[in-house]
Amino acid sequence: MDRRRYMRGLVLAAVVCCTLALNVSSVSPASSTSVPKKAPYVLGMDADFSSFFASYGTALKAAWTAAFHTINVAGGINGHKVKVIYLDDASVPTTTVSNAKQLVGSGALLVRSDPDSNSCAEIQPTTARAHIPLMCEAAYSNALSIPYGYTINLPESFYIPGVYSLITKKVGPAPKIAELVIDVAGELAWASAMSKEVGLKGGTISTDQLVPVTNLNDITSQTSAILASHPDAVLSEGPPSMTVSFVEALRAGGFTGPIYSLSPDYSSMITLKDSNFYETYASEPVAPGSRLSGAATYVKSMAAVGLTGATTINAATIGEDYLSALLVAKALNSCGNSCTSRSLNKDLAQTVVQDPGLTLPTGFGYTPTRHQPLKEWALYGYSASSKSQVVLTNLLAPALP
């Protein structure tokens, strides 16, 4: 079979099915005869690849590398290859700002920020002045108040009503809740939201322990304080290495109640094998052998850049990071050959992807008045019988104010 005809057939099928990678974005391969060589679409990424949040930054880079590799191999978007400029900020605010200016100066049509909500706030003035869309992994709600601000996950505080409801179902009314909070804007926001929720609906915050972002590897004193407060439930958010050591220390100290993490990570759950530990998810964890169209294409895209195995392809926030690349690709396809950052922003604001096995049932995308992509989120736990993650419930995602 002629390979080019075969590839065109694959892409056409993808357009109909709205699946993944460049399949989802309905992209046609470039042709040396019909489409002249064009300059690449340039995108920018500022993330932590080497410091406190490197586990998230490297997962994000891997997801975008896999997605846009698949796209470029298939011929690009509208005949354009996609070039992503990756800059490491090492979670240093001054570096974050200088990186943002460098990406704007490099002609990036869009900038993607890493999971640190502080980074989103630091970058936003630069990208907003240039009318460039900024996609943040985590953001507090006022970071989405400008026309060019987007998030990939819910602002952390938006999880709190649902998490509080789950806690009361688990331990009863008026619970005592202990919090482990990293000193970044998004986490401070969810801690404040939980205090308000408790004040409105009963219960108490038994202790609120703050962790400096520069000291994530030593939370001994905070863990001791949480154990001493005798909580009914514990809520935290942090990178995988911190989460595992924290949960293990709580169990070693005698705490047997439920522990909730606002940070999804497959490896943490599989390592801990704790049936009373729960994580929130914005996308579905993917089984390497899944036959669902979105998951299967995702697995192939990841394998093409050397990423295989359940732990690797479900690391940290890699699934939702991959979906964010698909949103950008689909918006670029709509934006066309004369795409500018302003026109891309307009298209991005009305882009949705539906990828069975990767997106949650209600899809992943934006509307002009809703710049966070979720209509629902999922709570996962560990099943001792299947020795794997299982979805426990899907909850409605609140609308942005």
Side-chain angles (χ1 to χ4, degrees):
M1 178 182 291
D2 180 84
R3 179 171 178 78
R4 286 176 297 177
R5 183 179 302 168
Y6 175 68
M7 288 302 294
R8 285 195 295 269
L10 283 182
V11 174
L12 178 60
V15 171
V16 174
C17 296
C18 252
T19 56
L20 210 0
L22 266 240
N23 308 332
V24 174
S25 58
S26 307
V27 172
S28 300
S31 166
S32 59
T33 57
S34 60
V35 180
K37 184 177 181 180
K38 300 176 181 179
Y41 289 129
V42 178
L43 306 173
M45 179 181 295
D46 169 79
D48 183 346
F49 302 133
S50 61
S51 189
F52 314 118
F53 295 113
S55 57
Y56 294 114
T58 54
L60 171 56
K61 184 177 182 179
W64 274 45
T65 299
F68 289 114
H69 171 79
T70 300
I71 288 166
N72 286 337
V73 166
I77 305 172
N78 301 319
H80 301 261
K81 295 298 180 69
V82 178
K83 176 184 176 181
V84 184
I85 301 172
Y86 298 99
L87 298 180
D88 181 9
D89 63 23
S91 290
V92 177
T94 53
T95 304
T96 298
V97 174
S98 63
N99 283 354
K101 292 178 180 178
Q102 181 177 336
L103 292 172
V104 170
S106 298
L109 294 171
L110 174 143
V111 172
R112 179 71 162 83
S113 174
D114 72 4
D116 179 1
S117 46
N118 283 359
S119 294
C120 179
E122 289 154 2
I123 291 173
Q124 202 160 49
T126 299
T127 54
R129 282 193 298 269
H131 304 285
I132 293 174
L134 172 64
M135 298 179 79
C136 302
E137 181 78 38
Y140 42 103
S141 58
N142 64 351
L144 300 172
S145 61
I146 65 167
Y148 292 87
Y150 299 83
T151 186
I152 300 308
N153 209 319
L154 286 171
E156 288 106 310
S157 61
F158 283 36
Y159 283 104
I160 294 306
V163 170
Y164 181 82
S165 174
L166 292 168
I167 290 173
T168 57
K169 290 178 181 177
K170 188 76 175 178
V171 305
K176 292 173 60 180
I177 301 171
E179 300 174 334
L180 184 71
V181 185
I182 298 175
D183 189 14
V184 296
E187 297 209 19
L188 295 172
W190 71 248
S192 175
M194 181 58 85
S195 295
K196 293 177 181 177
E197 194 77 9
V198 166
L200 290 171
K201 299 181 179 177
T204 56
I205 301 297
S206 64
T207 186
D208 189 349
Q209 292 295 308
L210 195 65
V211 181
V213 73
T214 55
N215 200 33
L216 301 182
N217 293 324
D218 183 8
I219 54 173
T220 304
S221 62
Q222 292 92 339
T223 304
S224 296
I226 287 173
L227 288 168
S229 73
H230 303 291
D232 299 312
V234 175
L235 178 61
S236 70
E237 181 182 12
S241 58
M242 189 188 88
T243 298
V244 170
S245 61
F246 178 53
V247 174
E248 289 176 339
L250 288 177
R251 298 307 188 208
F255 180 70
T256 60
I259 303 170
Y260 298 84
S261 172
L262 298 182
S263 296
D265 182 62
Y266 177 91
S267 64
S268 297
M269 190 161 284
I270 298 304
T271 298
L272 290 165
K273 297 179 174 60
D274 189 322
S275 58
N276 211 11
F277 170 66
Y278 309 97
E279 296 178 335
T280 60
Y281 272 77
S283 62
E284 292 192 18
V286 175
S290 176
R291 294 184 178 181
L292 294 171
S293 59
T297 307
Y298 171 73
V299 171
K300 290 179 181 178
S301 294
M302 301 301 275
V305 293
L307 302 174
T308 59
T311 300
T312 301
I313 66 173
N314 291 293
T317 53
I318 196 168
E320 61 202 63
D321 294 335
Y322 189 81
L323 287 172
S324 73
L326 300 186
L327 283 174
V328 175
K330 192 171 182 180
L332 283 169
N333 188 62
S334 299
C335 194
N337 290 320
S338 301
C339 192
T340 66
S341 60
R342 293 188 189 217
S343 58
L344 178 60
N345 183 65
K346 182 179 179 181
D347 287 308
L348 184 63
Q350 44 197 346
T351 298
V352 177
V353 294
Q354 287 273 9
D355 276 19
L358 191 59
T359 55
L360 296 174
T362 50
F364 192 89
Y366 306 119
T367 71
T369 58
R370 188 184 180 99
H371 283 197
Q372 66 89 358
L374 302 174
K375 294 182 180 178
E376 63 181 324
W377 58 273
L379 184 78
Y380 275 74
Y382 179 78
S383 169
S385 59
S386 65
K387 298 181 180 180
S388 63
Q389 282 179 318
V390 292
V391 62
L392 301 176
T393 185
N394 283 18
L395 288 89
L396 182 68
L400 292 170

